[in-house]
């Protein structure tokens, strides 16, 4: 299994527009964070996790030519706003299956209503099939386990795909999800900033969750422009910050 981090930033991305802080003005490319998204390649399949407003640039950077399925964690703008940019894949491949909770897919259907109507003439639109998930499901030979996770007052969907656990925008991890994620080889986990936040894990909280799950490698994503990947945040062994373009084998 191959994991490609397409983006590792929070909702405003990094650099933040109009900000002159040391991270936003850094020349280190690891401090340039597009909105959080990832690509999983396994058993000949290309599975996209979230499709935010930076997806077009991410797809071009990664030379992405095929997508077999899209997993959505939730319908916040920074995780779904790039759905229209799936059009080239739909034109080449046909309808793309999109998986997510019933609420997430209802929001997608409302926001991108034109994609599900037959009234548009003379213009292309994404061709999508929506698949609500509330238990394990198959994408080809891969079994995907969806997990309900609190994101403040929202509920988002985390995913376990065999040896990979992917959790973003969590404010806490329920014990049932901790148990379901134990045994993964790689865990992806959000860590917004050093200070506590009502709807996201802080860096310290993410470190504690990583220790409870016990994956050999944990990569932190969804970081704001206050996070310097070079700084010492007291993270446990095996826990580190991901960065845009990072690719790992699992």
């Amino acid at each position: 299994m191959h994991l490609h981090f397409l983006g590792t930033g929070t909702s405003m991305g990094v650099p933040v527009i109009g900000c002159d802080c040391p991270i936003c003005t850094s020349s280190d490319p690891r401090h340039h964070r597009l909105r959080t998204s990832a690509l999983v390649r396994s058993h000949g399949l290309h599975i996209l996790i979230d499709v935010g407003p930076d997806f077009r640039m991410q797809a071009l950077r990664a030379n992405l030519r095929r997508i077999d399925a899209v997993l959505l964690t939730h319908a916040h703008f920074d995780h779904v706003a790039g759905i229209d940019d799936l059009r080239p894949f739909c034109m080449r491949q046909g309808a793309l299956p999109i998986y997510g909770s019933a609420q997430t897919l209802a929001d997608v259907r409302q926001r991108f209503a034109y994609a599900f109507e037959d009234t548009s003439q003379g213009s292309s639109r994404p061709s999508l099939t929506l698949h609500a998930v509330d238990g394990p499901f198959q994408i080809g030979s891969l079994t995907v386990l969806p997990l309900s996770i609190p994101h403040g007052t929202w509920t988002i969907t985390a995913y376990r795909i065999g040896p990979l656990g992917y959790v973003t925008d969590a404010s806490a991890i329920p014990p049932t999800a901790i148990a379901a994620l134990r045994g993964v080889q790689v865990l992806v986990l959000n860590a917004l900033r050093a200070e506590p936040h009502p709807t996201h894990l802080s860096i310290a909280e993410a470190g504690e969750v990583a220790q409870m799950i016990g994956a050999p490698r944990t990569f932190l994503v969804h970081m704001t422009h206050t996070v310097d990947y070079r700084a010492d945040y007291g993270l446990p062994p095996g826990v580190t910050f991901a960065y845009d373009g990072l690719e790992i084998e699992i």
Side-chain angles (χ1 to χ4, degrees), residues 80-155:
V80 301
I83 281 177
D84 190 74
D85 286 322
L86 294 173
R87 283 183 296 159
F89 300 94
C90 299
M91 293 170 68
R92 290 193 296 266
Q93 301 171 212
L96 279 180
I98 295 188
Y99 299 86
S101 71
Q103 182 60 60
T104 294
L105 298 185
D107 291 343
V108 166
R109 183 179 287 276
Q110 180 184 49
R111 296 185 200 178
F112 298 92
Y114 65 92
F116 304 98
E117 298 170 352
D118 295 325
T119 57
S120 81
Q121 298 292 329
S123 62
S124 62
R125 54 190 173 133
S127 178
L128 313 171
T129 59
L130 303 182
H131 304 269
V133 298
D134 58 5
F137 60 97
Q138 295 293 128
I139 301 177
S141 60
L142 293 176
T143 299
V144 182
L145 175 64
L147 301 167
S148 295
I149 305 287
H151 174 28
T153 60
W154 278 56
T155 298

Side-chain angles (χ1 to χ4, degrees), residues 4 14 63 72 77 96 108-109 116 129 140 177 180 184-185 190 205 217 232 234 238 241 247-248 250:
H4 187 164
V14 183
N63 194 27
L72 295 180
F77 183 86
L96 279 180
V108 166
R109 183 179 287 276
F116 304 98
T129 59
V184 297
Q185 294 300 303
N190 65 286
E205 289 168 338
R217 293 186 291 170
D232 182 6
F241 294 107
E247 299 184 62
I248 62 169
I250 306 173

